[in-house]
Amino acid sequence: MSKWQELEGKYFMKTVERLPVTIVRGQGSRVWDENGKEYLDFVAGWAVNCLGHCPQVVVEAVTEQVRTLIQTSNQFYTVPQVQLAEILVQHSCLDKVFPCNSGTEANEGAVKLARRYGKRHLNGAYEVITAMSSFHGRTLAMVAATGQPKYQQSYIPLTTGFVNVEYNNVEAIKEATTNQTCAVMLEPLQGEGGVNLVSDGYLAAVRDWCDQKGILLILDEIQTGVGRTGTLFAYEKYGVEPDIMTLAKGLASGIPIGAILAKNRASVFTPGDHGSTFGGNPVACAAGYATMKYIIDNDVAGNAKRVGQYFIAKLEQLKQKFQFITDVRGCGLLIAMEFGSDVANSVLEACLDRGLLVNCVKPNTLRFMPPLVISTSEVDEAISILDEALPSIVSWK
Ligand SMILES: Cc1ncc(COP(=O)(O)O)c(C=O)c1O
């Protein structure tokens, strides 16, 4: 254990089982630890470093902004906020933006917006229907929204106003809808819940139901947005437009940020309804604008789609070779490999030894979410490490 790892144990609240690596530097798709060991990074800060580590355009935008203006209060106009909002609106189906600081905060604000809509247009309806196996964040309200008992148990009584129903089952949403329902909130692909793909027609059927009932559809694109699934936003693939969408993670290449986007009709906040000291911070927004502009100008989502398909095809070949791989699934560069037993952590450790970072999303499932700018040769490198690491998992033999 290194000095830094020992000190962490002394000073830090233990909320995560860390891996025994202290990362000190990153560039492109690679990071280095304190001993100089190099790793190919297929975690990317949990689907954050979409342009890789320390991308030049973002480093330059942030450096320039830090020299110019770091923070001011939201009582004043600032240029980077408006630039970010404009590029988001011009390239999505949404009309208005509220910038904030994280994914959880964006979702929390989206639910407030939906409740505000309920007060104004739905006789005070306030309930939000969400899915089992979802992940919407860690505040008390978002723990209640997140349909995973493991995140809820320690915090009972949960915040009221949320109903968790089965994912990919529109009938369950219909049954849960009452005259208190103001919105349905879903991920277009459940990332943290295990890379669970949305089934054909589900989102369109949910959209129809929301329209019939006059309630809002919130899409949490915190993990799927900004090119991750091969289109700029995942909703584009399903011919479904949300009334409210949330973003975070890759939006500013790693500078903390979140955003609520809404259609005009759902954009019902009035002055004083919501706010944030740091939300819309000039440095974060400059990073967000530089990231979005690069992604759009360089069709980074297209690269995620192409390289993602290549990666899935290569993982399928590994599945043919190793019978304990039971499933390979994903979209763009959000991909899972599932095993017949709980060996994901052992595979992760075997990869770590060999210089590849992967994520264990469930005891039997690995998740890959590399930078969206990776090349097929970097995928080949990851595949050859996996090919070498997988036979070392003795428990499957
Ligand atoms: C779909 C989704 N929503 C919300 C969140 C929470 O975002 P944050 O950790 O930035 O608060 C996450 C984080 O993993 C997520 O994947």
Side-chain angles (χ1 to χ4, degrees):
M1 190 179 269
S2 78
K3 178 184 95 180
W4 296 115
Q5 293 168 13
E6 253 173 53
L7 287 174
E8 190 268 1
K10 185 167 173 203
Y11 295 121
F12 243 75
M13 292 190 195
K14 197 165 173 58
T15 61
V16 63
E17 288 294 348
R18 295 194 202 253
L19 295 165
V21 178
T22 306
I23 295 176
V24 295
R25 187 166 71 84
Q27 193 60 56
S29 305
R30 289 165 206 275
V31 293
W32 286 263
D33 72 13
E34 58 190 322
N35 304 313
K37 181 172 171 181
E38 180 178 308
Y39 300 84
L40 185 57
D41 186 1
F42 272 42
V43 179
W46 288 328
V48 168
N49 306 101
C50 53
L51 303 185
H53 291 273
C54 304
Q56 197 187 342
V57 282
V58 178
V59 170
E60 280 170 10
V62 167
T63 308
E64 175 65 22
Q65 190 58 47
V66 166
R67 284 207 188 99
T68 312
L69 179 72
I70 294 181
Q71 166 73 358
T72 180
S73 96
N74 273 319
Q75 270 190 313
F76 302 101
Y77 296 92
T78 57
V79 177
Q81 273 187 7
V82 183
Q83 287 178 317
L84 176 60
E86 183 179 39
I87 201 168
L88 285 172
V89 167
Q90 281 174 346
H91 294 274
S92 74
C93 66
L94 290 312
D95 303 306
K96 293 284 191 313
V97 178
F98 176 88
C100 56
N101 308 288
S102 71
T104 308
E105 194 188 326
N107 283 339
E108 185 92 19
V111 168
K112 281 178 74 179
L113 187 59
R115 284 197 181 190
R116 192 76 185 84
Y117 185 89
K119 278 237 184 303
R120 190 177 287 185
H121 297 297
L122 301 169
N123 299 316
Y126 63 95
E127 250 173 28
V128 176
I129 300 171
T130 66
M132 301 300 297
S133 304
S134 59
F135 189 82
H136 297 296
R138 302 288 202 154
T139 56
L140 278 174
M142 287 311 106
V143 162
T146 292
Q148 297 197 54
K150 69 176 180 185
Y151 293 125
Q152 299 180 330
Q153 268 147 12
S154 306
Y155 302 104
I156 291 167
L158 298 177
T159 305
T160 52
F162 295 94
V163 188
N164 309 143
V165 303
E166 195 183 14
Y167 191 53
N168 281 333
N169 179 350
V170 71
E171 293 308 317
I173 290 179
K174 291 183 180 175
E175 273 165 35
T177 306
T178 68
N179 59 6
Q180 294 303 331
T181 307
C182 66
V184 175
M185 178 159 83
L186 296 170
E187 293 156 90
L189 179 165
Q190 294 183 326
E192 205 273 347
V195 188
N196 308 319
L197 302 182
V198 73
S199 58
D200 282 351
Y202 174 64
L203 287 180
V206 176
R207 177 69 272 178
D208 278 355
W209 178 248
C210 290
D211 290 342
Q212 270 181 52
K213 290 287 159 188
I215 59 179
L216 300 176
L217 176 60
I218 305 171
L219 287 184
D220 175 345
E221 291 238 23
I222 284 160
Q223 189 157 153
T224 54
V226 198
R228 174 64 47 192
T229 66
T231 47
L232 194 55
F233 303 108
Y235 73 76
E236 294 168 34
K237 281 194 274 290
Y238 308 105
V240 165
E241 294 190 354
D243 302 298
I244 301 175
M245 174 170 79
T246 51
L247 300 174
K249 288 206 183 271
L251 181 55
S253 292
I255 303 291
I257 198 166
I260 311 166
L261 284 76
K263 295 257 194 192
N264 276 328
R265 76 179 186 95
S267 182
V268 292
F269 282 149
T270 54
D273 281 348
H274 194 51
S276 165
T277 296
F278 290 122
N281 166 271
V283 181
C285 287
Y289 175 70
T291 303
M292 284 300 296
K293 187 161 169 26
Y294 187 92
I295 288 178
I296 292 160
D297 290 351
N298 295 280
D299 189 22
V300 170
N303 189 65
K305 183 174 176 191
R306 278 186 303 278
V307 180
Q309 282 165 350
Y310 179 82
F311 190 17
I312 287 183
K314 291 280 172 181
L315 290 170
E316 287 288 353
Q317 287 171 10
L318 289 182
K319 180 170 170 257
Q320 299 302 319
K321 189 165 166 187
F322 300 102
Q323 282 157 15
F324 69 115
I325 302 174
T326 52
D327 193 28
V328 169
R329 58 178 179 271
C331 201
L333 284 168
L334 185 49
I335 296 171
M337 183 161 77
E338 191 169 314
F339 305 103
S341 58
D342 291 350
V343 295
N345 208 44
S346 308
V347 179
L348 176 152
E349 282 169 6
C351 288
L352 195 64
D353 279 354
R354 293 165 174 80
L356 172 67
L357 304 184
V358 296
N359 170 250
C360 178
V361 71
K362 282 163 79 172
N364 68 343
T365 310
L366 285 184
R367 176 173 49 163
F368 307 101
M369 41 196 162
L372 306 181
V373 291
I374 54 159
S375 60
T376 50
S377 65
E378 286 168 320
V379 166
D380 288 341
E381 210 182 309
I383 290 288
S384 83
I385 293 176
L386 278 163
D387 198 9
E388 211 186 286
L390 286 164
S392 71
I393 308 309
V394 284
S395 58
W396 74 278
K397 287 179 186 145

